[in-house]
Amino acid sequence: VLPAVDKTVELGIADPKRLGVMGQSYGGFSTYGLVTQTTRFQAAVALAGLSDLASLYAQFDARQRYDAFPQEDLFYMFLAESGQERLGNPPWKDFGRYIRNSPIFYVDRVETPLMIIQGDMDYVAMQQGEQFFMSLYRQNKRAQFLRYWGEGHVLEGPANIRDMWQRIYAWFDEFLKP
């Protein structure tokens, strides 16, 4: 990401004093990761992002939490071990790898104002965003947490979509306008 940002700045496309970053799902995970590793961005928005891979590993999917056998869904475990995360093992066999790859454990490094957006019915547990937000809040860092009740991984309600975009634009305007 940062070499691409450098190139857009070099080409005069982006102003290095007015950079924002935003991502959804694994893009939200990447946004958390970026703001723990750099202060290049003046504002950030993470939507439905993963922040703690160890706790996510064994959480119930909110959509199936009240089913008779929610433990039968091994989606998170598959994602962690051999899916997108490719951590190779469950946390009890390589806990250090889960820690090293979880942005929550580097939250003390965040200086970028961050808006976090989660739907309560998202299969990425809302607690992932809550944990990151509360860790920033505890340190008196600039953050805002938006939860949308009844929404899943991607917001679908027209009123919620409109509200979300108004808030995102206002967030970026506050930090990025000249």
Side-chain angles (χ1 to χ4, degrees):
V1 171
L2 295 178
V5 170
D6 292 339
K7 189 65 172 179
T8 60
V9 168
E10 177 188 321
L11 294 170
I13 296 168
D15 179 345
K17 294 184 172 102
R18 295 176 50 220
L19 295 172
V21 63
M22 179 171 137
Q24 203 269 340
S25 192
Y26 274 95
F29 171 76
S30 298
T31 299
Y32 289 145
L34 282 165
V35 299
T36 64
Q37 295 177 41
T38 183
T39 58
R40 295 278 313 271
F41 302 99
Q42 286 72 48
V45 176
L47 300 95
L50 304 75
S51 66
D52 181 348
L53 302 179
S55 71
L56 186 66
Y57 182 88
Q59 287 181 327
F60 288 150
D61 182 326
R63 300 166 301 174
Q64 299 168 354
R65 179 168 279 127
Y66 301 105
D67 290 355
F69 302 100
Q71 71 275 12
E72 296 299 322
D73 180 7
L74 304 178
F75 177 68
Y76 293 138
M77 295 173 185
F78 165 76
L79 276 179
E81 292 178 26
S82 57
Q84 283 177 288
E85 295 163 29
R86 290 184 181 85
L87 296 172
N89 287 303
W92 56 87
K93 288 193 176 178
D94 194 354
F95 194 63
R97 192 164 188 187
Y98 281 76
I99 298 292
R100 288 189 306 276
N101 286 283
S102 295
I104 191 73
F105 296 103
Y106 306 97
V107 73
D108 61 314
R109 300 176 183 174
V110 175
E111 299 299 326
T112 306
L114 177 63
M115 175 183 279
I116 299 168
I117 301 172
Q118 296 278 161
D120 76 315
M121 294 305 291
D122 189 349
Y123 60 84
V124 173
M126 186 167 62
Q127 293 87 337
Q128 295 288 302
E130 289 173 339
Q131 290 171 8
F132 209 85
F133 171 77
M134 288 301 295
S135 298
L136 293 170
Y137 180 81
R138 171 71 171 79
Q139 299 174 75
N140 296 313
K141 295 186 178 189
R142 185 70 192 270
Q144 186 174 16
F145 184 80
L146 303 178
R147 79 181 59 77
Y148 289 93
W149 301 114
E151 294 285 4
H153 198 57
V154 177
L155 273 59
E156 295 181 12
N160 286 340
I161 293 168
R162 196 168 27 262
D163 179 75
M164 178 192 72
W165 281 109
Q166 287 172 346
R167 291 172 184 256
I168 290 170
Y169 289 138
W171 184 258
F172 281 133
D173 283 349
E174 179 177 348
F175 298 103
L176 303 181
K177 273 199 169 179

